[in-house]
Amino acid sequence: MDRVFQRFAEQLTESTHRDAAQQSMAEVAAALKLSCFAYLALARRPGSAPNLISTYPPSWTAIYLQRGYESVDPVVRRAMRHPKPFRWGLGFEARSRSEAERALFEEAAKFGIRCGFTFPIHDDKGAIAALSFASDERRSAFERSLVEHAQSLRLIAAFFHAHAKRFWTIDRMVGGVMLSPREYQCLEWSACGKSAGEIGIILGIKERTAGYHLDNARAKLGVSSLRQAIVLLTESKSRK
Amino acid sequence: MDRVFQRFAEQLTESTHRDAAQQSMAEVAAALKLSCFAYLALARRPGSAPNLISTYPPSWTAIYLQRGYESVDPVVRRAMRHPKPFRWGLGFEARSRSEAERALFEEAAKFGIRCGFTFPIHDDKGAIAALSFASDERRSAFERSLVEHAQSLRLIAAFFHAHAKRFWTIDRMVGGVMLSPREYQCLEWSACGKSAGEIGIILGIKERTAGYHLDNARAKLGVSSLRQAIVLLTESKSRK
DNA sequence: TAAGCACCTGTGCAACTCCACAGGATGTGC
DNA sequence: GCACATCCTGTGGAGTTGCACAGGTGCTTA
């Protein structure tokens, strides 16, 4: 079992994409006979989409994200309220559950997500996430494993969250400055070695326009060369 | 306790220097009443110095490293043999201990390092390290904490190792490739926006020579433009 | 001794960057 | 309506990069 955790630590630390992180957690879940897992990081801004890394059935996760089900998920509600781990199942919080929440649970059940155990994550920066392990029915191996490894899984949840949040490269904040969508895009392509002419072809604009956006990016970042701008871009990417 | 581990995960993941990593572990040790800790990563090549991150008394660790005591440390010997955690104290492995090993233990005792608990780390890549918590005498709080948190501490050891080994990355390793001193230097200046002519003036070489080194750096890194090379340089710097 | 590596330097030239000038359109907030 | 931000496009020219050719020295290792 310790080789499993050792391997998880290595893989997660070295993961630079969400697929690798997902794989590292999937291996832990398999070794502990925990079926499937879902790590859900709630958006900072209400109404924005959360971020998910999961081995739940893709047909279910696609629907969940598309319909914004995190807003009517009683597991999420509970996880937001308190960082203490909890069990859930079909009768979970039945008395305080809305009709929409009940419908969500019934729909998830059709995809084999009927019961589970969730580790809420409230980090120092105010972000809230949850790591859940789910199953289609209560199995003694599943339960035994959770009890036996509860403390380790809490640590694993914390580390997974600390790494996973770096994958949400969303905003265009570079060197403390916000670039426009086009400026950011052109700078990214330049960092890939593309010339203004090539960027123009890629984005369907003139070479001159691509150059214009790169000029703007340099000016905003207060640097005199694209190379310096690219350093700032790369640094901001690795900080997230 | 979970806030302690949560905080540790955040701090360790975000640490870019050994001081930050040391601080993250020191806080865990303090919270668990585990006195001081020492993470020792053995060198791959026999005879080379190990790497140490520790809150042991600096007067002791300086002597330990200077005299190469890892080669006569029975704790290290045991940790190299098997990844199972173990306790040690003044009578540790007395029967198989050499005179030099006995002397080492007695010397450490003078610095207040008399007993402890060690988590050996054997990673997938063959590297061997050990995380130890030590004390000047056996205290019930120390023992109780170790028993209670043994499993978490094993995970913590694995994660600490996965992160700490990044600090020993040899200089001038960029994108998995080792650049020559001059190549690295010229690339660093280029990343600051300096042209080959300017680099030549700075380093007291001809513009042509600076360009030659930059050409070599690009070739070694397998990229076609300096911009791409600078991305790799910046990434490798932020990973250290 | 020969080979490999790192460092040094010269030439030429097409493509590209950086900086400067100029023009336009659209959408948003006050 | 006006100001601002973003996006779009044209011109010119000096300086620089990327790629190619060529030469050399000194040190280390098998």
Side-chain angles (χ1 to χ4, degrees):
Chain A
M1 195 50 60
D2 294 299
R3 290 230 60 76
V4 171
F5 292 158
Q6 176 70 46
R7 189 171 161 74
F8 172 75
E10 301 280 335
Q11 281 187 315
L12 184 64
T13 304
E14 285 165 16
S15 63
T16 55
H17 294 93
R18 54 188 301 169
D19 288 349
Q22 177 176 320
Q23 180 62 22
S24 69
M25 183 62 85
E27 284 177 20
V28 168
L32 272 60
K33 302 192 194 333
L34 294 177
S35 303
C36 48
F37 83 93
Y39 162 82
L40 188 77
L42 296 174
R44 280 290 181 69
R45 197 188 265 169
S48 298
N51 290 291
L52 178 72
I53 298 179
S54 172
T55 53
Y56 282 11
S59 44
W60 169 235
T61 57
I63 288 170
Y64 189 98
L65 290 176
Q66 185 179 34
R67 296 181 187 170
Y69 275 167
E70 73 282 353
S71 61
V72 294
D73 188 343
V75 171
V76 169
R77 186 156 49 85
R78 175 77 177 273
M80 285 173 71
R81 270 198 329 244
H82 198 275
K84 190 169 182 309
F86 58 93
R87 271 186 180 77
W88 48 270
L90 288 183
F92 182 64
E93 297 199 342
R95 263 187 306 186
S96 61
R97 213 157 57 171
S98 69
E99 189 58 44
E101 294 183 338
R102 193 179 299 115
L104 167 67
F105 258 51
E106 285 168 8
E107 193 169 356
K110 287 173 191 160
F111 293 90
I113 309 294
R114 292 202 177 81
C115 56
F117 200 93
T118 291
F119 298 87
I121 301 149
H122 294 204
D123 79 14
D124 276 358
K125 302 204 174 100
I128 293 175
L131 176 67
S132 302
F133 296 94
S135 182
D136 56 352
E137 67 181 6
R138 292 210 183 277
R139 293 194 177 87
S140 62
F142 185 90
E143 296 299 319
R144 215 183 309 127
S145 195
L146 278 169
V147 168
E148 185 182 346
H149 299 289
Q151 199 55 38
S152 299
L153 288 169
R154 282 188 93 163
L155 249 181
I156 279 169
F159 272 103
F160 195 80
H161 174 68
H163 279 88
K165 65 184 185 180
R166 292 182 305 153
F167 301 136
W168 324 134
T169 310
I170 302 167
D171 67 342
R172 307 181 306 273
M173 184 70 79
V174 174
V177 174
M178 181 66 73
L179 299 185
S180 77
R182 223 43 162 174
E183 287 160 4
Y184 193 84
Q185 201 172 19
C186 291
L187 191 56
E188 282 196 307
W189 280 115
S190 182
C192 291
K194 303 299 178 188
S195 65
E198 288 169 326
I199 294 167
I201 290 165
I202 290 165
L203 301 182
I205 54 177
K206 290 298 166 91
E207 170 181 342
R208 177 72 206 107
T209 308
Y212 163 79
H213 291 308
L214 292 172
D215 289 346
N216 278 352
R218 278 189 297 103
K220 279 187 179 180
L221 298 173
V223 295
S224 58
S225 71
L226 271 181
R227 278 165 287 138
Q228 290 167 293
I230 282 161
V231 168
L232 295 175
L233 176 72
T234 309
E235 279 174 346
S236 72
K237 281 187 169 185
S238 66
R239 238 180 241 123
K240 296 171 186 176
Chain B
M1 195 51 59
D2 293 299
R3 290 232 59 79
V4 171
F5 292 159
Q6 176 71 44
R7 188 170 162 71
F8 172 75
E10 302 279 336
Q11 281 187 314
L12 184 64
T13 303
E14 286 165 18
S15 63
T16 55
H17 295 92
R18 54 186 302 173
D19 288 351
Q22 177 177 320
Q23 180 61 25
S24 69
M25 182 62 85
E27 284 177 21
V28 168
L32 272 60
K33 303 191 193 334
L34 294 176
S35 303
C36 48
F37 83 93
Y39 162 82
L40 187 77
L42 297 174
R44 280 294 182 65
R45 200 188 261 166
S48 299
N51 290 292
L52 178 73
I53 299 179
S54 172
T55 53
Y56 282 11
S59 43
W60 169 235
T61 57
I63 289 170
Y64 189 99
L65 290 176
Q66 185 178 32
R67 297 181 187 168
Y69 274 167
E70 72 284 352
S71 61
V72 293
D73 188 343
V75 171
V76 169
R77 187 157 48 87
R78 175 77 177 271
M80 285 175 70
R81 271 199 329 246
H82 198 277
K84 190 169 185 304
F86 58 93
R87 271 186 182 77
W88 48 269
L90 288 184
F92 183 64
E93 297 201 342
R95 263 186 306 185
S96 61
R97 214 156 54 169
S98 68
E99 190 57 42
E101 294 183 338
R102 194 179 300 114
L104 167 67
F105 258 52
E106 284 169 9
E107 194 168 356
K110 288 174 191 159
F111 292 91
I113 309 295
R114 292 200 177 81
C115 56
F117 200 94
T118 290
F119 298 87
I121 301 148
H122 295 205
D123 79 15
D124 276 358
K125 303 207 173 102
I128 294 175
L131 177 67
S132 302
F133 295 95
S135 182
D136 56 351
E137 66 182 6
R138 292 210 183 276
R139 292 193 176 89
S140 60
F142 186 90
E143 296 299 320
R144 212 182 311 126
S145 193
L146 278 169
V147 168
E148 185 182 346
H149 299 290
Q151 199 54 39
S152 299
L153 288 169
R154 281 188 93 163
L155 248 181
I156 279 170
F159 271 104
F160 196 80
H161 174 66
H163 277 90
K165 67 183 184 179
R166 290 183 304 150
F167 301 137
W168 326 129
T169 306
I170 298 163
D171 281 349
R172 309 190 327 262
M173 181 71 79
V174 175
V177 173
M178 180 66 70
L179 299 185
S180 77
R182 229 31 167 180
E183 287 160 5
Y184 192 84
Q185 201 172 18
C186 291
L187 191 57
E188 282 198 305
W189 281 116
S190 183
C192 291
K194 305 299 179 186
S195 64
E198 289 169 323
I199 294 167
I201 290 165
I202 291 165
L203 301 181
I205 54 179
K206 290 296 165 97
E207 169 182 344
R208 177 74 207 104
T209 309
Y212 163 78
H213 291 308
L214 293 171
D215 289 346
N216 278 351
R218 277 189 298 103
K220 278 187 181 179
L221 297 172
V223 296
S224 57
S225 71
L226 273 181
R227 280 165 286 139
Q228 290 168 292
I230 282 160
V231 167
L232 294 175
L233 175 72
T234 309
E235 280 175 344
S236 72
K237 280 186 169 186
S238 67
R239 253 187 224 120
K240 294 175 185 173

